[in-house]
């Protein structure tokens, strides 16, 4: 707005200087107005060329403005000529590259100094003031350009950050749903495989039906766990201790021990503990039927540790079923959180230990 206001003022000065002279015939006034309009068009083209960083067209349009100033001086319009020289000097210093701006400004201000009728001290002060004004305008233009570039970079960075956050959230939701479905389908496969073996052995209808109903229940539980996972991602988590107790209660002799100062965990850490506990219990039912399970949840200063141990039990008929990728997926989940997962046999049975920093 300030730039537009200055251009309007300069146009008004040109028109006033061209028309205020006495004893000008009508054709002279028309020529003066035409010259002012031509100078305005050349100035507009100069602005567009400098916006596009086109040096040669910019220099050509400045030359047109200087030529109009010379023509105005020759035809007796000294006022408009002085205004054009001053404007060319300031605009060249503001908008052209410094190597081109200095010669153009020097020519324009030197022409102003030669044809200005004021005393030399006033002329010298005016020339110095115009050069200073052009330099200040140049610094202001550079500062505004840098500010606009920084603003554009900041906006681009914010957009990239928002996109990265959205992709991260999508990956987290996808990983969560994948783990839920993998656990649910693995448990269903255990029961369906058992039903198949029972059918091959000509077992009773009640035994087969029991396994099919169990698989159906696992499918229903899988849907419920999917909804629970989505709720957990929104921060709607049930107490972790209660979840572990319910999970272990389906086994005979299961035990849950909680040590350390209990506190709320981040959603991802809590979900990692839940998924590892579920996978460990699935492996117990699959590989150590009838085993007694001990689950210990330890809250320390900087991490939470889940330890799942089974004692006794016997390898089930379905020990060879499944792809064996459950614990691998849990280990990857733990590593994404900066933790670790160890799983392997000990003297009494099988141990799964998860450590997650919080």
């Amino acid at each position: 707005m300030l730039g537009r206001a200055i251009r309007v003022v300069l146009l008004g000065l040109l028109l006033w200087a061209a028309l205020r002279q006495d004893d000008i015939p009508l054709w002279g006034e028309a020529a003066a107005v035409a010259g002012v309009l031509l100078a305005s068009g050349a100035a507009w083209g100069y602005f567009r060329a400098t916006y596009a960083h086109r040096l040669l067209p910019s220099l050509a349009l400045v030359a047109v403005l200087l030529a109009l100033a010379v023509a105005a001086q020759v035809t007796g319009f000294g006022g408009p000529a002085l205004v054009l020289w001053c404007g060319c000097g300031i605009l060249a210093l503001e908008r052209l590259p410094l190597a081109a701006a200095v010669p153009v400004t020097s020519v324009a201000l030197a022409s102003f100094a030669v044809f200005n009728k004021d005393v030399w001290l006033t002329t010298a002060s005016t020339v110095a003031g115009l050069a200073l004004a052009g330099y200040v305008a140049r610094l202001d233009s550079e500062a505004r350009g840098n500010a606009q570039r920084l603003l554009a970079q900041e906006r681009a960075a914010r957009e990239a950050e928002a996109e990265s956050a959205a992709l991260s959230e999508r990956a987290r939701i996808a990983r969560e749903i994948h783990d839920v479905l993998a656990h649910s389908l693995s448990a269903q496969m255990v029961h369906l495989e058992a039903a198949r073996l029972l059918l091959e052995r000509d077992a009773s209808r009640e035994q087969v039906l029991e396994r099919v109903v169990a698989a159906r229940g696992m499918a229903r539980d899988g849907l419920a766990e999917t909804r629970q996972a989505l709720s957990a991602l929104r921060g709607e988590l049930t107490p972790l201790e209660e979840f572990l107790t319910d999970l272990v209660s389906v086994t005979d002799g299961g035990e849950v021990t909680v040590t350390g100062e209990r506190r709320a965990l981040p959603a991802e850490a809590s979900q990692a503990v839940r998924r590892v506990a579920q996978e460990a219990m699935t492996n117990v039912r699959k590989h150590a039927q009838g085993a007694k399970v001990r689950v210990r949840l330890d809250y320390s200063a900087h991490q939470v540790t889940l330890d799942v141990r089974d004692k006794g039990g016997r390898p089930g008929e379905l020990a060879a079923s499944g792809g064996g990728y459950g614990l691998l997926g849990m280990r990857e989940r733990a590593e994404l959180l900066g933790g670790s997962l160890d799983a392997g046999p000990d003297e009494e049975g099988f141990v799964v230990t998860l450590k997650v920093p919080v």
Side-chain angles (χ1 to χ4, degrees):
M1 292 179 63
L2 181 61
R4 292 175 181 174
I6 292 176
R7 295 167 201 169
V8 170
V9 170
L10 289 176
L11 181 61
L13 285 175
L14 285 173
L15 290 173
W16 175 76
L19 300 177
R20 73 182 182 89
Q21 300 185 35
D22 299 331
D23 300 330
I24 299 179
L26 184 60
W27 65 267
E29 293 181 357
V33 173
V36 170
L37 295 178
L38 180 59
S40 300
W44 180 84
Y46 169 80
F47 275 99
R48 302 310 302 175
T50 53
Y51 272 129
H53 301 286
R54 299 171 62 187
L55 180 59
L56 293 180
S58 301
L59 292 176
L61 290 168
V62 170
V64 170
L65 291 172
L66 292 176
L68 289 173
V70 172
Q73 181 66 36
V74 171
T75 56
F77 293 93
L82 296 178
V83 173
L84 285 175
W85 278 319
C86 294
C88 288
I90 295 176
L91 292 179
L93 194 58
E94 176 189 3
R95 307 188 65 84
L96 291 177
L98 200 59
V102 172
V104 173
T105 300
S106 300
V107 170
L109 295 183
S111 301
F112 169 81
V114 169
F115 292 100
N116 189 29
K117 297 180 180 180
D118 292 332
V119 296
W120 70 269
L121 184 59
T122 302
T123 301
S125 301
T126 303
V127 169
L130 291 173
L132 180 61
Y135 183 68
V136 170
R138 181 184 187 86
L139 294 180
D140 177 70
S141 178
E142 291 177 351
R144 285 186 287 110
N146 291 333
Q148 290 177 357
R149 283 189 291 271
L150 290 176
L151 181 60
Q153 293 174 0
E154 182 179 359
R155 288 176 177 172
R158 287 181 179 178
E159 291 176 358
E161 183 179 358
E163 183 178 358
S164 176
L167 291 175
S168 177
E169 184 67 13
R170 292 172 187 170
R172 186 168 73 126
I173 292 174
R175 186 171 60 250
E176 197 65 43
I177 300 303
H178 168 269
D179 291 341
V180 171
L181 293 179
H183 166 74
S184 175
L185 293 175
S186 177
Q188 292 176 55
M189 188 169 62
V190 170
H191 291 291
L192 293 175
E193 184 68 12
R196 185 186 67 82
L197 293 175
L198 289 173
L199 287 173
E200 290 180 353
R201 297 174 183 177
D202 295 328
S204 63
R205 178 178 180 276
E206 289 75 14
Q207 290 178 315
V208 176
L209 182 60
E210 180 184 356
R211 290 295 184 175
V212 174
V213 170
R216 178 180 177 275
M218 292 304 301
R220 184 178 59 250
D221 293 342
L223 291 176
E225 288 176 11
T226 302
R227 298 188 186 97
Q228 183 184 15
L230 293 176
S231 299
L233 291 173
R234 301 186 184 101
E236 304 169 2
L237 290 169
T238 57
L240 184 56
E241 298 80 6
E242 179 182 344
F243 174 84
L244 294 177
T245 301
D246 294 339
L247 185 65
V248 177
S249 64
V250 298
T251 62
D252 296 332
E255 179 184 356
V256 177
T257 304
V258 180
T259 60
E261 183 180 355
R262 302 186 183 187
R263 61 184 184 274
L265 300 179
E268 290 190 351
S270 178
Q271 284 297 95
V273 173
R274 294 165 192 258
R275 296 291 166 255
V276 169
Q278 286 179 325
E279 182 64 29
M281 292 303 299
T282 298
N283 288 337
V284 169
R285 291 191 295 268
K286 189 174 180 180
H287 299 281
Q289 293 182 0
K292 297 185 180 301
V293 182
R294 290 180 298 172
V295 177
R296 182 175 64 87
L297 183 65
D298 177 62
Y299 292 94
S300 61
H302 302 291
Q303 72 177 12
V304 61
T305 302
L306 174 71
D307 187 85
V308 181
R309 297 173 180 266
D310 61 70
K311 180 180 179 181
R314 63 189 184 280
E317 297 176 342
L318 307 176
S321 64
Y325 295 106
L327 289 177
L328 177 61
M330 294 300 102
R331 182 175 289 109
E332 292 175 353
R333 174 191 282 265
E335 291 174 353
L336 285 175
L337 298 176
S340 63
L341 185 141
D342 297 320
D346 68 349
E347 297 178 356
E348 297 180 342
F350 198 82
V351 181
V352 177
T353 303
L354 170 70
K355 296 181 180 180
V356 179
V358 294

